[in-house]
Amino acid sequence: MTETRRGQRKHIFVTGGVVSSVGKGVAVAAIGRLLKSRGIRVSIQKLDPYFNVDPGTMSPYQHGEVFVTEDGAETDLDLGHYERFIDEHLTRESNVTAGQVFEHVIEKERRGDFLGGTVQMIPHVTGEIRERILRVGEASDAEVVIVEVGGTVGDIESQPFIESIRQLRRNLGRENVFYIHVTLLPHIASTGELKTKPTQHSVQELRRLGIQPDMIICRSDDEMPPELREKIALFCDVDEPAVIPLVTFSSIYEVPLYLEKIGVGAVLAQALRLAERTPDLAVWEEIVAHVNGEENRPLRVAVVGKYTQLPDAYLSVVEALRHACIAQRGRLDLKWVNAEDVEADGPEAHLNDARGIVVPGGFGPRGIEGKIAAARFAREKKIPYLGLCLGLQVAVIEFARAVMGAAANSTEFDPGTPLPVIDQMESQRGITQKGGTMRLGAYPCALEPGTLAAEAYGESLVHERHRHRWEVNDRYKDVLAEHGFRVSGVWPEGGLAEIMERTDHPFFLGSQFHPEFKSRPNRPHPLFAAFVQAAKRVHLEGDQEALPIGASDEMPAPPPELDPEGEEYPVPSGRFQG
Ligand code: GLN
């Protein structure tokens, strides 16, 4: 199909200027919601100019959370915003990196596809980028595709991407393409002013690359005075209604309502000749009305992780907690707890005031003993606990140590442990390549009737997203179950434990998958909803001191063949069969 024929579909390209990290992804997601609220089919794509093939191999310090799609792609965290705002499952097509583009072009060159030709940035690399942009619309059959270019204009890496979106305006027709530039207005404290000059320079740079923006979204922490709107319109040659001030809101979920009010939806509908339809944002208004919670007593939930200085590393977890609180009308009081501090000071010092404890996903041994201690504290003190992937694994290690002995561990942290209660999946053995090789994406999970999990979901079969190499070792499941920690969700084909829960606790549940990726502000994930509900119940019942302490005291004695110290516990012969 030629690009001209493909041009019936509308494309909105969003670039960034001045600095990164001003919330371009949220603005894009919010615009997606405005279009969807008009009944328009919309899809969103992120172009990341870095050379990594995907962010799966990057440190959370570099990149924040790795968002996993239903089809198992490890993607940029902005895809999480997109999915949560437009309430659609996106696919691997929705995140394109320079690494993917160059890898494919070079592969084609080696195959001989360009035989005789010189392979160049234009047209080969830009052609590949254009192709990948157009594919999103085709695969999703969206009427409007919004494409966010990562980074800021002027970055060397982003130039082929900017050039590609410039070419697309020619190829698809001017009436089918709209450019939005998102900038920052810095605040000068000494004069109390917001400055527009960096925006002007950024637009000049964009024009130098051949793109004149149709809309400028100006991010600022303070209200933008009306005369600046006029000034930016004049200097940047954009219609005044298309200069959009965007201050920082206390909740990102307020952004779509604000952008609608200030006329973004109307400007887009007119420019792209979309049939003008009245937006229906009723559900969104409901979300915003309850986003800050109504209860007087905030619900303190501790998240025990190792990237607590960088909350973006756990973005979807935090959003999923918020969604559950919106539904429960609770006021979330998030407490970041560094697992290494728990290791050093003991759990009481950091978790005594927590009404719920979450241990999110993670990799590697740093802070692991702190996470194990947090799981023990939650179990013993009967504090609602939600373990996500690694959070399930540490809960298993912790309880196995209590039942079978201190040597219990995951082979991820102690490859020689005599009690490998968490072991590498069979399918993962021998894999040396790091990128894209984990067990990734959605797998079915059958729920055991009569369990917390089945009750929370209200269904018997669910599909959840994964990103891991290790699993609960089959050999120890019965022993753990006998002592009150049982499997309540299983991957039917592989027999792997997907959910485990305690039978002697208000709420103690861990999942091998990442439920946080499927939570939506209007539809909290059932496991998060059940966790927050339990935390609220415990919270309302009274102070921590009033809670029963020391569930371990009440724990049934281990079966006679087991040595509580674990030293003599028979080492299973053979390894866990995934
Ligand atoms: N490191 C663990 C594994 O690979 C847990 C992964 C995670 O929490 N996402 O199985």
Side-chain angles (χ1 to χ4, degrees):
M1 201 190 295
T2 65
E3 287 184 359
T4 319
R5 274 206 40 222
R6 288 160 151 185
Q8 302 311 314
R9 187 168 286 123
K10 312 289 179 179
H11 284 79
I12 298 172
F13 294 110
V14 185
T15 54
V18 183
V19 289
S20 60
S21 307
V22 292
K24 184 155 46 94
V26 170
V28 165
I31 290 170
R33 169 46 60 178
L34 294 193
L35 296 173
K36 186 150 182 202
S37 74
R38 287 171 158 75
I40 294 167
R41 286 194 310 282
V42 48
S43 194
I44 313 188
Q45 182 185 46
K46 174 90 189 271
L47 304 177
D48 277 311
Y50 50 69
F51 286 94
N52 303 66
V53 170
D54 62 44
T57 52
M58 286 159 91
S59 154
Y61 284 125
Q62 295 271 319
H63 194 273
E65 165 185 278
V66 173
F67 186 81
V68 180
T69 54
E70 202 74 356
D71 63 349
E74 296 174 277
T75 72
D76 187 76
L77 55 74
D78 277 328
L79 268 82
H81 287 308
Y82 306 161
E83 284 204 353
R84 289 186 281 271
F85 277 70
I86 64 170
D87 197 6
E88 301 275 347
H89 288 339
L90 299 175
T91 65
R92 60 178 63 252
E93 321 257 65
S94 274
N95 195 189
V96 171
T97 66
Q100 289 165 20
V101 169
F102 286 110
E103 188 182 42
H104 192 63
V105 170
I106 289 169
E107 201 181 283
K108 276 161 73 179
E109 189 278 332
R110 292 289 80 187
R111 210 164 51 211
D113 289 10
F114 307 113
L115 227 46
T118 306
V119 182
Q120 293 180 295
M121 198 66 93
I122 305 172
H124 302 105
V125 171
T126 53
E128 178 66 28
I129 295 171
R130 290 200 317 265
E131 183 60 36
R132 284 171 185 250
I133 290 172
L134 297 176
R135 228 182 272 159
V136 171
E138 277 152 21
S140 61
D141 197 29
E143 293 163 81
V144 179
V145 179
I146 311 175
V147 181
E148 175 184 354
V149 183
T152 44
V153 168
D155 298 343
I156 287 184
E157 285 90 351
S158 68
Q159 286 197 19
F161 290 92
I162 304 279
E163 169 60 15
S164 303
I165 65 170
R166 183 197 69 78
Q167 293 172 5
L168 277 172
R169 184 176 229 179
R170 275 184 81 244
N171 299 1
L172 299 176
R174 288 177 183 269
E175 69 285 4
N176 297 321
V177 169
F178 192 88
Y179 295 116
I180 301 179
H181 195 49
V182 182
T183 71
L184 174 79
L185 304 185
H187 177 256
I188 305 299
S190 56
T191 56
E193 281 177 298
L194 288 177
K195 305 301 279 184
T196 66
K197 189 68 83 187
T199 295
Q200 296 175 39
H201 280 297
S202 179
V203 169
Q204 276 170 23
E205 178 62 13
L206 196 57
R207 283 197 197 130
R208 199 180 63 77
L209 299 170
I211 292 176
Q212 164 63 41
D214 301 301
M215 175 181 282
I216 302 178
I217 297 180
C218 304
R219 288 279 294 109
S220 61
D221 287 331
D222 302 297
E223 288 294 338
M224 175 167 125
E227 62 274 16
L228 287 196
R229 207 172 175 191
E230 204 179 314
K231 184 172 174 182
I232 291 167
L234 177 67
F235 280 83
C236 300
D237 197 16
V238 170
D239 294 339
E240 208 177 309
V243 177
I244 310 296
L246 180 57
V247 290
T248 307
F249 285 95
S250 63
S251 162
I252 55 173
Y253 298 119
E254 294 176 52
V255 177
L257 295 182
Y258 165 80
L259 291 182
E260 181 56 40
K261 205 168 88 202
I262 200 159
V264 171
V267 170
L268 289 174
Q270 196 187 17
L272 291 172
R273 298 183 177 78
L274 302 168
E276 186 42 84
R277 281 172 274 193
T278 318
D280 178 3
L281 285 160
V283 172
W284 217 259
E285 274 156 11
E286 179 79 9
I287 293 166
V288 170
H290 303 294
V291 77
N292 292 321
E294 282 132 44
E295 309 221 342
N296 295 331
R297 277 206 292 176
L299 185 67
R300 176 155 287 200
V301 176
V303 177
V304 184
K306 47 177 192 182
Y307 299 103
T308 47
Q309 304 305 102
L310 185 94
D312 262 6
Y314 306 110
L315 185 62
S316 293
V317 174
V318 175
E319 292 308 316
L321 286 170
R322 284 195 206 293
H323 304 161
C325 284
I326 290 171
Q328 305 277 334
R329 310 289 186 248
R331 194 140 66 88
L332 180 65
D333 173 15
L334 204 60
K335 180 177 182 179
W336 293 106
V337 176
N338 187 332
E340 286 172 287
D341 292 343
V342 177
E343 212 167 279
D345 314 327
E348 291 80 3
H350 299 281
L351 297 170
N352 235 338
D353 56 351
R355 295 319 194 230
I357 295 174
V358 178
V359 176
F363 297 85
R366 187 164 66 84
I368 201 72
E369 291 302 325
K371 294 178 188 178
I372 292 170
R376 190 189 69 235
F377 190 74
R379 173 173 65 81
E380 291 182 348
K381 287 223 169 191
K382 307 256 189 212
I383 301 169
Y385 177 87
L386 183 62
L388 308 169
C389 201
L390 183 64
L392 164 68
Q393 298 176 0
V394 296
V396 168
I397 297 168
E398 185 283 310
F399 192 57
R401 285 182 183 177
V403 174
M404 295 183 264
N409 214 331
S410 163
T411 54
E412 182 180 3
F413 314 121
D414 179 5
T417 173
L419 287 169
V421 289
I422 305 294
D423 203 0
Q424 202 165 38
M425 286 179 277
E426 189 62 30
S427 56
Q428 287 288 325
R429 303 247 161 87
I431 292 179
T432 50
Q433 188 130 326
K434 291 265 189 286
T437 55
M438 283 189 244
R439 179 173 180 241
L440 290 166
Y443 284 83
C445 168
L447 304 169
E448 195 60 48
T451 58
L452 263 181
E455 194 191 327
Y457 280 102
E459 285 175 74
S460 54
L461 188 74
V462 294
H463 290 79
E464 295 284 3
R465 301 183 193 174
H466 299 71
R467 182 172 186 250
H468 65 120
R469 297 187 201 279
W470 274 263
E471 272 282 356
V472 180
N473 192 333
D474 217 20
R475 294 181 167 270
Y476 302 97
K477 284 174 192 162
D478 291 345
V479 179
L480 296 174
E482 277 163 34
H483 289 77
F485 196 22
R486 65 167 166 182
V487 175
S488 54
V490 176
W491 175 36
E493 289 124 78
L496 304 181
E498 293 283 16
I499 310 179
M500 287 182 70
E501 60 184 65
R502 295 205 65 85
T503 48
D504 58 354
H505 195 284
F507 187 95
F508 192 106
L509 183 146
S511 65
Q512 191 53 78
F513 49 79
H514 291 269
E516 66 270 23
F517 294 139
K518 289 180 89 161
S519 184
R520 305 277 160 89
N522 52 323
R523 213 160 0 89
H525 189 282
L527 296 183
F528 277 86
F531 165 71
V532 165
Q533 203 169 24
K536 234 180 107 171
R537 210 166 42 232
V538 168
H539 182 44
L540 294 175
E541 274 165 15
D543 288 326
Q544 202 59 54
E545 285 69 40
L547 295 175
I549 294 174
S552 57
D553 302 342
E554 302 152 20
M555 209 167 59
E561 73 271 23
L562 300 181
D563 174 0
E565 293 311 311
E567 304 304 337
E568 266 113 76
Y569 186 75
V571 179
S573 57
R575 303 196 83 186
F576 162 53
Q577 300 294 301

